[in-house]
């Protein structure tokens, strides 16, 4: 019987962010469950937008035991889920994500950046948001076809809801989880793009706190792994714990 595979999308996306990956999965092995996170897509109006709320949604939707994979923001949520219910997560796959900003000074600076962007978001159209989000240096080098597909997913959101999400589950709002991760015993795979220098550094940090973790580097890919390298992401998911 196939295992349930819960896939959590990144900030500003929806469950459709996983569309390029789904055809690459072995359906005899996995039954994908692909929810929207609070403040996004079909859950744009669900409040409060918090990590605890997102954890509750995932655990309510998932069966007793499941494989869990999260990308970027979804990876941060996935870590909260794994820590809240480690007996239910059989394997954990973290794609282009981190366990939080460790220095309080840096975290405070990120909170200020997030609040400024959230305030801007409340005045934007969704098209203006998509333009600004895609223009970030983090996403430089995204292949044109991946960028077109990604933009279509960004446009499925509401900018005011995204502003609330940024305030509730943004990187600046999240207390770091690095020390707590040491308690996890399930197999963990960390996936990062070869061009994604910022998150490659986080991958090295995962090696320190999770010595059982496998780190997979996807050569030539940037931060947008599910849309840039869906076959490689699927292979990393299916190789996890094998």
């Amino acid at each position: 019987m196939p295992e349930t595979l819960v896939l959590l999308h990144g900030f500003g996306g929806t469950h459709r962010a996983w569309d390029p990956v789904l055809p690459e999965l072995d359906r005899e092995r996995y039954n994908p469950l692909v929810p929207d996170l609070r403040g996004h897509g079909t859950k744009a109006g669900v409040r409060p937008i918090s990590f605890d709320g997102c954890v509750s949604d995932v655990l309510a939707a998932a069966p007793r035991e499941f494989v869990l994979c999260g990308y970027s923001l979804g990876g941060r949520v996935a870590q909260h889920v794994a820590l809240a219910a480690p007996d239910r997560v059989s394997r954990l796959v973290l794609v282009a994500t981190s366990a939080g900003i460790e220095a309080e000074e840096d975290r405070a600076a990120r909170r200020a950046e997030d609040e400024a962007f959230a305030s801007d978001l409340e005045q934007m159209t969704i098209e203006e948001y998509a333009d600004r989000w895609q223009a970030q240096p983090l996403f430089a080098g995204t292949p044109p076809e991946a960028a077109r597909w990604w933009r279509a997913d960004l446009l499925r959101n509401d900018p005011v809801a995204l502003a609330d999400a940024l305030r509730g589950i943004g990187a600046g709002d999240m207390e770091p989880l690095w020390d707590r991760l040491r308690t996890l015993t399930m197999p963990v795979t960390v996936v990062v793009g070869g061009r994604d220098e910022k998150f490659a550094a986080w991958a090295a940090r995962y090696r320190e706190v999770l010595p059982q973790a496998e780190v997979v580097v996807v050569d030539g890919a940037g931060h947008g792994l599910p849309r840039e390298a869906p076959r490689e992401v699927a292979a990393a998911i299916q190789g996890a714990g094998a």
Side-chain angles (χ1 to χ4, degrees):
M1 184 174 179
E3 293 182 278
T4 296
L5 168 64
V6 178
L7 296 163
L8 304 179
H9 63 81
F11 181 82
T14 72
H15 68 282
R16 297 288 303 276
W18 292 101
D19 281 4
V21 177
L22 296 179
E24 306 296 337
L25 295 171
D26 181 353
R27 293 305 181 91
E28 293 186 358
R29 183 174 175 187
Y30 293 112
N31 176 33
L33 176 63
V34 195
D36 285 332
L37 296 173
R38 294 189 181 196
H40 296 76
T42 60
K43 289 193 174 73
V46 179
R47 299 293 186 277
I49 302 177
S50 64
F51 284 108
D52 286 347
C54 292
V55 168
S56 295
D57 292 345
V58 171
L59 293 179
R64 177 64 185 81
E65 185 172 298
F66 56 96
V67 178
L68 180 58
C69 175
Y71 161 65
S72 200
L73 165 63
R76 299 201 303 274
V77 172
Q79 289 166 91
H80 281 86
V81 172
L83 288 165
D87 58 321
R88 293 183 59 182
V89 178
S90 60
R91 290 184 280 116
L92 180 63
V93 184
L94 302 173
V95 181
T97 194
S98 86
I101 301 168
E102 293 185 271
E104 171 55 34
E105 181 178 353
D106 294 339
R107 204 158 59 250
R110 179 59 184 266
R111 279 197 300 273
E113 292 176 8
D114 288 350
E115 176 55 40
F117 187 33
S119 296
D120 289 347
L121 267 170
E122 291 171 327
Q123 309 303 317
M124 288 181 181
T125 66
I126 193 62
E127 291 82 8
E128 289 169 337
Y129 158 70
D131 289 342
R132 179 162 166 180
W133 193 251
Q134 289 189 294
Q136 293 182 90
L138 179 65
F139 302 117
T142 301
E145 183 58 32
R148 284 192 292 272
W149 186 93
W150 173 33
R151 181 180 179 83
D153 194 41
L154 295 175
L155 296 178
R156 296 184 178 103
N157 286 292
D158 172 68
V160 174
L162 293 180
D164 290 344
L166 197 57
R167 293 183 175 112
I169 52 176
D173 190 67
M174 176 175 153
E175 291 294 321
L177 302 176
W178 297 103
D179 287 341
R180 294 179 60 197
L181 292 182
R182 298 178 191 276
T183 65
L184 298 181
T185 59
M186 77 280 290
V188 179
T189 296
V190 176
V191 190
V192 65
R195 294 190 292 104
D196 193 3
E197 295 181 5
K198 177 179 178 180
F199 285 83
W202 290 128
R205 184 76 173 102
Y206 280 115
R207 288 184 190 271
E208 297 175 8
V209 300
L210 291 168
Q212 80 273 26
E214 175 188 11
V215 175
V216 176
V217 179
V218 181
D219 291 338
H223 186 67
L225 283 171
R227 54 189 171 267
E228 292 184 41
R231 182 173 300 176
E232 290 82 356
V233 170
I237 292 170
Q238 294 175 151

